[in-house]
Amino acid sequence: MKETFFRTLSWLHTWAGLLVCWILLLIFFAGSLSYFRHEISLWNEPELHQGVYQDYQANSLENQLDKDQRYIETHSPAAAQRWMIDFPTERKPFQSVSWQLPPEKGQRRGKTEEHVALADGSGMISEVRESRGGNFFYRLHFDLHYMSAITARYIVGVCTMFMLIALISGIVIHKRIFKDLFSFRRDKGARSWLDAHNVSSVIALPYHLMITYTGLITLMLMYIPWTVNTAYSGDNQAFLKELNPARQTEKAAGISAPQVQLSQLLPQVKAAWGDAPIKQVTVSYPKDQHSQVTFYQNTGKDVTDNANVLIFNGVNGELKYVSPHDASGASVTYDTMMSLHTARFAEPLLRILFFFCGLLGCAMIATGTLMWAIRLRQKQQKSLDNGDKPSLGLRLVEGLNFMFILGLPLGTVAFFYANRLLSTHFSGRSEWEIHSFFIALAAMGVWAFWGRSRRQWQMALILTGSLYCALPVLNAFTSPSHLIDNIQSHQWPLVGFDVFAVLLGCAMLFASNRLTLIATSPVNGSARPALNAKTNKARRSESKTSLANELTSQPSLEEVKS
């Protein structure tokens, strides 16, 4: 406890945010990209950029199901554990069929092979490059990578709790929260960074609170399992079966049986759902005595994260399960919070707003880490003026700032370049796309070891910005369609990807130019004592190493906050 309540919460706000800031930056960055994971996946599969886009056709469902079932029966291996027929949706505007093979040793799920129908009905595209696409960023923001999912989710949960504490304490210590919403003083050194931190925090504060709290709610039963263990005597499977009966399927009997014709089930589907669109039809254990057919409704525009399903016996077509229309208040509340967090219901404009708020969250965290580096350097300025080297903690903070603030966008653009430049027949290419992301991130860490000066930041921003601006050119050379073609054919997800890449690249190039205004103003002779040769040499060396060093002539953060 400090001498006042305000100083206590100020200390709590600082350390709750800073101890996990770089992991939080990764989570916010990947989570923001997840709002457009389907669009990213579309861009990552250039084989589907021409001739496959189509709308949902309700009047031809019967013929389409018969055609797709015949195709799967002809082309899928007998060992397939699941068949899937996907109908066009707003975010995946193409018709496709796929099948899932049994998992190999050490795998949780088997490999899935997908074939996409041409819009004119003339055939199927079977050769689509292997890529995780936007699903990589979606999984990254809560499963991280190169570690078990359980371990990662506990790490993310702890970081999210720290984030919630930092937000609440930040609200309490904000004396001028509404004034800070409209206050941004440019070219004022530390004052400008603090204003940027305040503005990015306050503008999207409702979003920050919502996304942090609902992020904890999504995995609350993992973090607080005692209620389930008590109510179900430790039988988690019984709880999961009651929570989501649609996901519980019988194991394959191993006895062959004729598969029901899927189109024969449509009258029962229409009786239950009316004209509601169908998103997917799944057949579990096809041609087995325990075969099961599941119809999924397209609920994309509803504020819900629960699937609306009908489950049939795969042999005789008997209806086994219908999603309940009534639910408890707790279940509805949980489902609404899940839906708010994932924003799967959102229209494009609302997803753009969520994405923009996510970027403001990244800016809030990044400016906080930069202010921390400035503050540490200001505390050590006297010893640095005497020629001493900066502490290990200061070098670590500045290096991690350089690595993550610049490395995350560089790693993302490296991911996209790897998607187009790696051979489509390269073994494990989807994993190497992901490796490219982390290799670029690590490369920025190595770069930070050698130098973190303003010039280094400018060079990294110019490199990353140029790569983003060149993405539409890369797409034009590695895809059957380019930006103009996509505009003419109204393929707006691909147009939006290219346009945003150029805007982001230009923003980075602009930021690199603005960094020239952070240069240290000349030091007045009366302001500081004369420096000896050793000190001058140390200061020159530091100015080549650290961006934060160039801000130390500005008023201290303690003065700025007062």
Side-chain angles (χ1 to χ4, degrees):
M1 295 294 291
K2 303 295 182 181
E3 58 273 17
T4 65
F5 178 71
F6 175 83
R7 287 189 175 275
T8 299
L9 283 190
S10 181
W11 176 90
L12 179 64
H13 175 74
T14 299
W15 287 103
L18 294 176
L19 287 176
V20 295
C21 57
W22 297 289
I23 300 179
L24 283 175
L25 184 59
L26 172 65
I27 294 170
F28 260 82
F29 182 81
S32 300
L33 292 178
S34 299
Y35 289 126
F36 294 97
R37 62 173 174 145
H38 294 298
E39 290 74 13
I40 291 173
S41 295
L42 283 175
W43 192 89
N44 275 30
E45 296 174 338
E47 295 83 3
L48 307 181
H49 287 187
Q50 201 170 60
V52 300
Y53 280 32
Q54 56 183 299
D55 296 323
Y56 180 82
Q57 302 293 333
N59 56 356
S60 61
L61 282 179
E62 184 175 347
N63 292 335
Q64 189 65 55
L65 275 176
D66 287 338
K67 181 179 178 180
D68 289 344
Q69 186 172 356
R70 286 194 302 268
Y71 185 89
I72 294 177
E73 290 175 340
T74 303
H75 294 86
S76 67
Q81 287 189 333
R82 185 171 297 163
W83 296 346
M84 289 156 283
I85 299 174
D86 289 274
F87 293 98
T89 63
E90 296 83 359
R91 301 185 66 187
K92 292 183 67 177
F94 52 81
Q95 177 84 23
S96 69
V97 299
S98 53
W99 47 85
Q100 187 179 52
L101 300 176
E104 298 178 1
K105 187 176 180 180
Q107 288 184 335
R108 184 180 175 186
R109 296 183 181 89
K111 183 180 179 181
T112 298
E113 183 175 344
E114 183 179 32
H115 293 187
V116 179
L118 292 169
D120 58 8
S122 60
M124 306 285 284
I125 298 177
S126 59
E127 294 294 332
V128 179
R129 68 187 59 200
E130 182 187 0
S131 175
R132 294 276 293 278
N135 289 324
F136 161 64
F137 297 102
Y138 171 69
R139 304 296 300 191
L140 178 66
H141 95 279
F142 63 92
D143 275 355
L144 305 181
H145 206 69
Y146 301 124
M147 65 177 67
S148 70
I150 297 297
T151 302
R153 292 179 187 187
Y154 274 115
I155 293 173
V156 170
V158 170
C159 294
T160 306
M161 180 58 72
F162 272 67
M163 177 70 177
L164 187 60
I165 293 171
L167 285 172
I168 295 173
S169 58
I171 294 171
V172 174
I173 66 175
H174 247 88
K175 298 178 180 178
R176 302 170 295 185
I177 190 168
F178 293 107
K179 184 177 180 180
D180 285 341
L181 180 63
F182 305 100
S183 299
F184 180 71
R185 282 147 285 196
R186 300 181 347 179
D187 308 331
K188 299 295 183 181
R191 175 76 259 182
S192 296
W193 286 113
L194 183 59
D195 283 348
H197 182 71
N198 290 336
V199 169
S200 58
S201 303
V202 175
I203 286 180
L205 182 59
Y207 171 85
H208 297 329
L209 289 169
M210 179 276 293
I211 207 69
T212 304
Y213 181 70
T214 56
L216 285 171
I217 292 297
T218 58
L219 297 172
M220 66 178 184
L221 295 179
M222 174 181 166
Y223 302 139
I224 310 175
W226 306 290
T227 52
V228 175
N229 292 339
T230 301
Y232 291 85
S233 301
D235 188 355
N236 289 333
Q237 291 303 315
F239 166 71
L240 293 174
K241 186 173 183 179
E242 185 174 338
L243 178 67
N244 195 347
R247 286 195 174 186
Q248 309 305 314
T249 59
E250 299 181 77
K251 293 184 178 180
I255 302 174
S256 180
Q259 185 66 46
V260 68
Q261 195 70 19
L262 299 179
S263 59
Q264 295 177 4
L265 305 177
L266 283 177
Q268 297 183 69
V269 175
K270 189 168 184 179
W273 290 347
D275 294 328
I278 299 171
K279 179 180 179 180
Q280 185 185 67
V281 180
T282 300
V283 180
S284 302
Y285 306 117
K287 298 186 178 180
D288 185 87
Q289 193 175 43
H290 288 169
S291 176
Q292 180 174 285
V293 179
T294 306
F295 281 75
Y296 291 87
Q297 188 182 115
N298 184 3
T299 59
K301 294 184 179 180
D302 297 332
V303 185
T304 178
D305 207 57
N306 283 339
N308 197 7
V309 302
L310 297 172
I311 300 178
F312 299 88
N313 184 297
V315 177
N316 57 31
E318 177 189 356
L319 182 61
K320 297 172 60 179
Y321 174 80
V322 180
S323 293
H325 293 289
D326 54 338
S328 66
S331 177
V332 172
T333 301
Y334 176 79
D335 177 43
T336 302
M337 288 188 177
M338 285 283 292
S339 186
L340 284 172
H341 189 82
T342 58
R344 290 175 185 155
F345 66 91
E347 295 289 340
L349 286 179
L350 184 56
R351 283 203 310 277
I352 291 173
L353 176 61
F354 273 42
F355 176 75
F356 177 70
C357 290
L359 293 185
L360 285 177
C362 295
M364 173 183 66
I365 298 168
T367 51
T369 62
L370 288 170
M371 286 194 301
W372 190 18
I374 296 168
R375 187 173 185 177
L376 285 176
R377 183 165 287 276
Q378 287 173 341
K379 287 183 176 181
Q380 300 178 27
Q381 195 59 51
K382 288 185 178 180
S383 61
L384 294 176
D385 286 343
N386 292 328
D388 296 334
K389 292 184 178 180
S391 67
L392 175 62
L394 176 58
R395 296 198 302 270
L396 181 63
V397 169
E398 292 178 344
L400 288 173
N401 283 348
F402 189 91
M403 177 180 176
F404 279 89
I405 295 175
L406 298 176
L408 288 173
L410 180 63
T412 301
V413 77
F415 174 85
F416 294 131
Y417 274 82
N419 169 260
R420 295 304 178 86
L421 299 180
L422 290 176
S423 170
T424 55
H425 303 291
F426 181 63
S427 178
R429 73 178 313 278
S430 64
E431 283 302 314
W432 275 101
E433 288 179 4
I434 297 172
H435 294 334
S436 300
F437 174 89
F438 289 102
I439 289 171
L441 184 63
M444 297 305 288
V446 175
W447 190 344
F449 177 80
W450 293 107
R452 305 171 299 279
S453 68
R454 174 171 53 87
R455 180 59 179 164
Q456 307 291 339
W457 280 74
Q458 283 181 302
M459 291 172 59
L461 285 169
I462 291 172
L463 170 64
T464 308
S466 300
L467 289 173
Y468 273 102
C469 288
L471 271 178
V473 179
L474 175 69
N475 180 58
F477 281 102
T478 56
S479 169
S481 61
H482 51 75
L483 180 59
I484 303 302
D485 292 335
N486 293 331
I487 293 174
Q488 293 175 344
S489 59
H490 299 168
Q491 299 193 59
W492 302 120
L494 300 179
V495 173
F497 186 101
D498 284 351
V499 169
F500 178 75
V502 172
L503 291 176
L504 184 58
C506 291
M508 290 184 175
L509 294 176
F510 175 76
S512 70
N513 182 59
R514 293 294 296 174
L515 279 180
T516 59
L517 301 177
I518 304 178
T520 305
S521 57
V523 179
N524 191 315
S526 60
R528 289 192 179 180
L531 304 177
N532 57 35
K534 179 182 177 181
T535 303
N536 276 323
K537 183 178 180 181
R539 290 292 303 277
R540 286 195 299 269
S541 175
E542 276 301 297
S543 67
K544 295 178 181 178
T545 306
S546 170
L547 171 65
N549 185 62
E550 302 183 18
L551 296 172
T552 53
S553 64
Q554 302 290 340
S556 70
L557 283 179
E558 295 298 334
E559 296 174 16
V560 166
K561 289 181 178 179
S562 61

